[in-house]
């Protein structure tokens, strides 16, 4: 997961969007991307992870655009992340936060990463 976070930090909108494993306690809005492992499996060679990637923003349109940018960056990731064999975005949907009413989109991403 750290490799995905580091990759998005460096490659998403020229590094201007915070990318974290969790939502910061002091988050009050603005653009943010979070990545959380939600499942998967591993064998002796490959870790097949499933991740929930959330794109947060102040408006629905901005959250959608950020999620689209995240999707495109993740699809391109195997070309530049060592040991990343594949990254597939299997879904992208509107997922507003019910507590804060913050605009948010969620992507489900399947990643195959060589173990080593």
């Amino acid at each position: 997961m750290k490799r995905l976070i580091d990759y998005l930090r460096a490659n998403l909108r020229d590094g201007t969007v915070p990318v974290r494993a969790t939502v910061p306690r002091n988050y009050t809005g603005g653009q943010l991307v979070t990545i959380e492992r939600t499942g998967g499996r591993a064998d002796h060679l490959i870790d097949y992870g499933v991740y929930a990637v959330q794109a947060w923003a102040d408006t629905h349109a901005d959250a959608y655009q950020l999620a689209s940018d995240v999707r495109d960056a993740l699809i391109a990731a195997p070309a530049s992340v060592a040991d990343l064999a594949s990254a597939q975005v299997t879904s992208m949907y509107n997922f507003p936060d019910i507590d804060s009413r913050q605009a948010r989109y969620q992507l489900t991403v399947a990643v195959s990463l060589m173990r080593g």
Side-chain angles (χ1 to χ4, degrees), residues 13-76:
R13 296 187 177 176
D14 297 321
T16 61
V17 177
V19 180
R20 306 196 33 154
T22 60
V23 177
R25 288 184 191 186
N26 61 349
Y27 175 72
T28 57
Q31 295 186 342
L32 172 69
V33 172
T34 59
I35 301 176
E36 178 182 3
R37 185 169 180 141
T38 58
R41 63 181 181 83
D43 60 29
H44 66 289
L45 294 176
I46 301 174
D47 181 359
Y48 304 93
V50 177
Y51 297 87
V53 181
Q54 297 179 351
W56 302 70
D58 291 329
T59 69
H60 176 85
D62 288 344
Y64 174 80
Q65 187 58 57
L66 180 57
S68 296
D69 292 348
V70 168
R71 177 197 60 212
D72 295 346
L74 288 172
I75 290 169

Side-chain angles (χ1 to χ4, degrees), residues 87-105:
Q88 298 174 321
V89 176
T90 59
S91 66
M92 185 173 109
Y93 51 92
N94 186 27
F95 189 56
D97 183 60
I98 57 173
D99 294 328
S100 68
R101 299 191 186 275
Q102 187 71 35
R104 176 176 67 173
Y105 265 74

